[in-house]
Amino acid sequence: MSDIIQLLPDHVANQIAAGEVVQRPASVVKELLENAIDAGATNIKLLLKDAGKTLIQVIDDGKGMSVTDARMCFERHATSKIKKAEDLFNLGTKGFRGEALASIAAIAHVELKTKEEHQELGTCIKIEGSKVISQDVINTAKGTSIAVKNLFYNIPARRNFLKSDTVETRHIVDEFLRVVLAHPNIAFLLHHNNNEVYHLKSTNLRKRIVAVFGTKMNEKLVPIDEQTDILNITGFVAKPEFSKRKRGEQFFFVNDRFIKSSYLNHAVVNAFDGLLEQGTHPSYFLYLKVPNHTIDINIHPTKTEIKFDNEKALYAMLRATVKHSLGQYSIAPVLDFERDATLDTSYHQTKNTSSASVPKVLVDPDFNPFKEAKQSEIRFPFKREQKNEQWESLYTSVLTSDDKQEELFTENEDKVQKTFQIQRKYVMSLIKSGVVLIHQSLAHQRILYEEFLESITVKEANSQQLLFPVKISFSSQEIEMIYTIKTELENAGFSFDEFTKDSVTIKGIPVSVTESKITIILEELLSDINLEVPDTSFSHFDVMAKSFAKTLAIKTGTKLSEKEQEALVNDLFSCKEPNISPFGKSTFKTLTLNEIDNLFNS
C-alpha cells in the first residue's frame, strides 16, 4: 500500500491557520490594533472600506520595524513577544500570535510600510496570497502602516459567509471600542468609507468613556477604586436607575485586555442585589490588574476568556468593592452605627426645641345624646369639615326593596364569564368543543406585530405629538444607526426634531407608545437590529415590528380584567397567523372535551 500522509504546502497551511485567526474583518482589526499598541504608538488610525471587505488599514506612529523584521513578521510562528515556552504564562503584551500576519497575508492583498525612528528610509513590502510580490525602499513616516485589501479574495466560500456590511461594521466597532476603552492614553481615529466615525483624543478613562457613549454617560458613572496585594480594581459602574434591558455596556479588562467572564459578571450583579429592576442589567467599565503569572489567557483562540488562579478571592473582592462604592456614593443603603442620633430629627425642630403641635378637635356644644331624634336627624359630636360627603348614601342600596335585593343574587345568563386568567400568564377561553389556553404575552406580541407591520408598510401610522419634545442620549454609533432607519421609524409613527452627534430629539411617538417607554423601545430596537440586519428594506420593517411588539406586549404577571381578556382573544383570532408569535412560538393550545375526559379516565 502506498503512503498517503504528506506535508501540506505552506500556502495551504497558512490558509488553514487563517481559519483560526481570521473569522471575519473584525479579527484582522483586532490583531493589527494590538500590534500597533505593542509597538508603543500614541496615535492610531483605522481606515475601512465596505466594512473591511475591501480595505482595512491601520496606521500608527510606533517604533516601526527594521528591514529584516518587516520581512520576518509574515513568516509562520514568527514573533518578538516570546522566546521560550515559559513566556506564554507571563505575557505582558497583546499581539503575540505567531501566525497572525502570516495567516492574514495568506487570504488577502497586504501592503506594509514601516520605518524606525533613527532610519532615514523605510521598507515597503507587498504580499498576495502568501507570495511576496515586491520589496522596496521608500520614504515614509516613522511607525507602521499595514493595508489589508480584498479579504478572502482567494477563498470565495469564506467571503460568501460574511454578513451584511452593517453587521460586519458592528463587529469591527465592537473590537475597536474594546481597544480604545482599554487605552485612553492613546489617540484613535476611525474612518469608514471616508466618513469619520470616531475621533478620540488622548485623555483619562472617564473622559474616554463619555467620548464613546455620549455626554449623558458622565452623570451615570460611579467610580470604583480598590488596591490590594493580589488585585487592583479601578473603573466605573453606572447607577442602578440607568440599568439597561441588554448587556451592551458591560466591559471587563484584565491587564488592559478585554475579557468575557460570566463568573465575574455574577459578582457585579450580586453587588447590585435589590437595586435593579427585574429584567435589567447594570452597566460597568471595570479594570483589573493582577500579576501576569496568575492568569492563563491561552484557553480561548480569541483570548477573550481567562483562567484565574484564585477566582473565588477575586469574586469576593470585586463584589465587596462595587457594593462599597455604591454605598459610599449614596446609591445603596448602608448601616452606619456611628450616626449622630440628632440627625433623625428635623433641623427646624432641633434649633427651636419646640414640641410638636397638638391637633385641634372641634366639638359640637349642642350635641345631646339623650335627645330623641329621627333617623335622618342623627348628629355626631365631632364636626366633619367636608359637609357634603353624605356618606349615608353608601347604604341606600341596603334599604331598597326586596325585589332589588333579589337581583343581586339572580344569575343573568347573558353575563356568564367566558374567559379566565390563570396565574396571570394564561387566558382560558371556552369554546364549543372544549377550551383554548392562550399565552397572554405571546398572543399580544402577535397582535402588535401585525398592527405595526401594517402601519409601517401599508398605511400611515398615527402619531401623537408630545407637549414637550424628549431628548435622548446615545453613542455616536447608535445615533448613526437611528438616522439610517429614520424613514422607517417615521412610518411607524415617530417624529424627530433634531439629530446631534450624541443625542436625538423626538417630538412625536406612535399612539400605542407611552412617553416613558420611548428610551426602552429605541434601545431594544437598536439591540435587535445589531443582532442581524439583512440587506433588504423589508427586513428592516420586519425587525422593527418584531422589536416593538416584543417590548410593548403585556408581560407575564400582568393582571387582565374580563374585558381585556375578551379583547385579547378576539384580537388574536382576527390576526392573519394567530397560532404563532412573531418569533415562532405557539400562542395557544386547544383542549377538546374528549382530551379533558381522557385525563380522568386514564
Side-chain angles (χ1 to χ4, degrees):
M1 183 177 177
S2 59
D3 297 332
I4 60 175
I5 298 176
Q6 58 184 349
L7 289 175
L8 289 172
D10 284 343
H11 70 280
V12 177
N14 284 339
Q15 288 186 2
I16 294 174
E20 290 291 326
V21 181
V22 186
Q23 299 173 353
R24 59 191 344 139
S27 306
V28 176
V29 170
K30 178 179 183 293
E31 295 288 346
L32 299 185
L33 288 178
E34 289 183 347
N35 281 337
I37 291 170
D38 286 341
T42 58
N43 289 277
I44 299 176
K45 298 178 182 178
L46 172 60
L47 310 179
L48 305 171
K49 283 187 180 179
D50 302 326
K53 299 172 186 176
T54 302
L55 172 68
I56 300 172
Q57 185 174 8
V58 173
I59 305 170
D60 68 67
D61 61 351
K63 58 187 178 184
M65 288 183 281
S66 65
V67 177
T68 303
D69 287 345
R71 185 66 178 265
M72 282 291 295
C73 71
F74 291 104
E75 297 295 329
R76 293 193 67 197
H77 312 305
T79 178
S80 63
K81 313 298 172 62
I82 55 176
K83 291 182 172 58
K84 55 184 183 296
E86 289 76 11
D87 293 341
L88 287 170
F89 303 99
N90 192 23
L91 285 167
T93 56
K94 293 179 178 292
F96 66 91
R97 194 198 305 268
E99 73 275 12
L101 290 179
S103 299
I104 294 171
I107 53 173
H109 298 161
V110 178
E111 181 180 75
L112 168 69
K113 296 178 181 179
T114 185
K115 191 189 82 166
E116 293 179 300
E117 186 174 11
H118 60 274
Q119 297 292 331
E120 292 184 4
L121 296 174
T123 304
C124 177
I125 296 178
K126 294 182 180 180
I127 301 178
E128 294 181 4
S130 296
K131 183 179 179 181
V132 177
I133 303 300
S134 65
Q135 178 172 340
D136 300 309
V137 176
I138 62 167
N139 185 13
T140 185
K142 178 183 83 79
T144 301
S145 169
I146 298 184
V148 179
K149 304 174 184 178
N150 306 318
L151 192 64
F152 297 125
Y153 81 99
N154 53 354
I155 313 179
R158 287 295 299 271
R159 191 175 180 91
N160 291 336
F161 271 100
L162 294 179
K163 304 295 184 182
S164 65
D165 283 2
T166 306
V167 174
E168 295 299 339
T169 301
R170 178 180 64 84
H171 284 290
I172 290 174
V173 171
D174 285 346
E175 291 292 352
F176 178 78
L177 293 183
R178 291 168 182 175
V179 173
V180 302
L181 289 173
H183 301 276
N185 58 317
I186 300 176
F188 288 90
L189 184 69
L190 170 58
H191 278 221
H192 184 217
N193 292 338
N194 297 321
N195 295 320
E196 183 180 289
V197 181
Y198 286 99
H199 188 178
L200 305 171
K201 299 178 180 179
S202 175
T203 182
N204 58 36
L205 177 57
R206 189 182 193 112
K207 290 182 178 179
R208 173 58 56 86
I209 294 173
V210 171
V212 171
F213 292 98
T215 53
K216 195 174 181 181
M217 178 61 74
N218 191 40
E219 65 184 74
K220 303 178 184 180
L221 299 178
V222 176
I224 303 289
D225 192 0
E226 187 68 33
Q227 313 293 325
T228 68
D229 293 338
I230 62 171
L231 172 69
N232 294 341
I233 306 174
T234 57
F236 300 90
V237 295
K239 298 175 183 177
E241 60 264 32
F242 297 106
S243 59
K244 299 206 167 190
R245 301 280 172 182
K246 301 293 181 180
R247 303 184 181 184
E249 295 175 359
Q250 295 184 339
F251 293 88
F252 272 119
F253 298 93
V254 175
N255 295 356
D256 295 333
R257 183 189 296 272
F258 172 81
I259 69 158
K260 297 176 182 178
S261 174
S262 57
Y263 187 69
L264 295 183
N265 175 73
H266 188 272
V268 177
V269 173
N270 210 331
F272 278 85
D273 188 29
L275 300 175
L276 300 174
E277 291 184 20
Q278 188 174 5
T280 62
H281 306 277
S283 298
Y284 54 77
F285 308 87
L286 296 174
Y287 297 74
L288 283 62
K289 288 284 186 182
V290 298
N292 289 325
H293 66 273
T294 63
I295 58 175
D296 183 2
I297 62 176
N298 296 309
I299 63 173
H300 192 274
T302 61
K303 296 178 174 50
T304 55
E305 297 179 13
I306 288 182
K307 176 66 177 175
F308 296 93
D309 283 353
N310 46 1
E311 281 188 334
K312 291 185 178 180
L314 296 181
Y315 181 100
M317 293 173 64
L318 182 59
R319 178 184 177 276
T321 300
V322 174
K323 200 171 186 66
H324 173 72
S325 292
L326 291 174
Q328 185 178 9
Y329 288 89
S330 302
I331 306 299
V334 292
L335 291 175
D336 187 359
F337 297 101
E338 299 180 356
R339 187 186 72 252
D340 188 350
T342 59
L343 294 176
D344 295 335
T345 309
S346 67
Y347 172 79
H348 176 77
Q349 182 177 338
T350 305
K351 185 173 181 67
N352 296 288
T353 63
S354 59
S355 58
S357 59
V358 180
K360 295 180 180 180
V361 178
L362 301 177
V363 180
D364 185 358
D366 297 328
F367 173 71
N368 185 355
F370 302 101
K371 179 182 177 181
E372 293 183 2
K374 296 180 181 180
Q375 182 72 18
S376 60
E377 296 178 353
I378 292 179
R379 301 168 68 189
F380 291 87
F382 301 102
K383 293 182 179 180
R384 303 177 65 87
E385 293 190 11
Q386 298 180 358
K387 299 179 181 180
N388 298 325
E389 283 194 349
Q390 296 184 359
W391 56 271
E392 296 93 339
S393 62
L394 298 173
Y395 299 94
T396 55
S397 61
V398 181
L399 303 177
T400 55
S401 63
D402 293 340
D403 293 341
K404 290 185 178 179
Q405 289 183 20
E406 289 178 2
E407 288 183 5
L408 296 174
F409 303 97
T410 301
E411 183 174 349
N412 190 338
E413 293 184 359
D414 294 337
K415 296 182 179 179
V416 174
Q417 187 171 346
K418 296 181 180 179
T419 59
F420 304 89
Q421 191 177 22
I422 302 173
Q423 297 294 325
R424 297 187 178 184
K425 184 175 184 179
Y426 301 101
V427 173
M428 187 177 71
S429 178
L430 304 179
I431 56 176
K432 291 182 179 180
S433 61
V435 295
V436 175
L437 202 59
I438 300 171
H439 192 296
Q440 65 184 38
S441 182
L442 297 179
H444 200 212
Q445 286 182 19
R446 163 53 62 179
I447 296 166
L448 292 177
Y449 169 71
E450 292 197 4
E451 287 179 357
F452 275 115
L453 196 59
E454 184 180 10
S455 297
I456 298 172
T457 59
V458 179
K459 62 182 183 181
E460 186 176 350
N462 294 324
S463 178
Q464 55 179 332
Q465 296 300 305
L466 299 174
L467 184 60
F468 300 102
V470 176
K471 186 176 182 180
I472 307 176
S473 295
F474 290 103
S475 67
S476 57
Q477 180 192 2
E478 291 171 331
I479 291 293
E480 183 181 356
M481 194 180 304
I482 293 175
Y483 192 78
T484 58
I485 58 173
K486 178 174 176 283
T487 303
E488 290 92 331
L489 287 170
E490 289 174 340
N491 290 339
F494 283 92
S495 178
F496 299 96
D497 188 24
E498 182 185 12
F499 279 86
T500 65
K501 189 175 182 180
D502 58 2
S503 69
V504 58
T505 303
I506 298 173
K507 61 180 181 180
I509 56 177
V511 175
S512 55
V513 176
T514 59
E515 185 176 337
S516 60
K517 289 191 173 182
I518 298 175
T519 304
I520 297 174
I521 287 174
L522 291 179
E523 286 179 352
E524 291 277 354
L525 175 61
L526 293 175
S527 176
D528 291 336
I529 290 178
N530 268 333
L531 292 177
E532 182 61 53
V533 184
D535 292 325
T536 59
S537 59
F538 177 78
S539 297
H540 286 284
F541 299 142
D542 188 61
V543 172
M544 191 176 298
K546 285 180 179 178
S547 181
F548 288 165
K550 180 180 64 175
T551 306
L552 296 174
I554 54 176
K555 302 298 187 288
T556 297
T558 303
K559 185 178 181 180
L560 302 179
S561 66
E562 187 178 343
K563 288 185 178 180
E564 290 171 332
Q565 296 169 31
E566 292 179 0
L568 182 72
V569 174
N570 294 334
D571 291 344
L572 175 63
F573 290 103
S574 298
C575 292
K576 294 179 180 178
E577 297 184 27
N579 56 325
I580 59 171
S581 76
F583 303 95
K585 296 182 179 179
S586 298
T587 56
F588 68 88
K589 295 290 183 181
T590 302
L591 280 176
T592 63
L593 287 175
N594 289 335
E595 290 174 332
I596 296 174
D597 289 338
N598 291 335
L599 293 175
F600 297 94
N601 295 332
S602 58

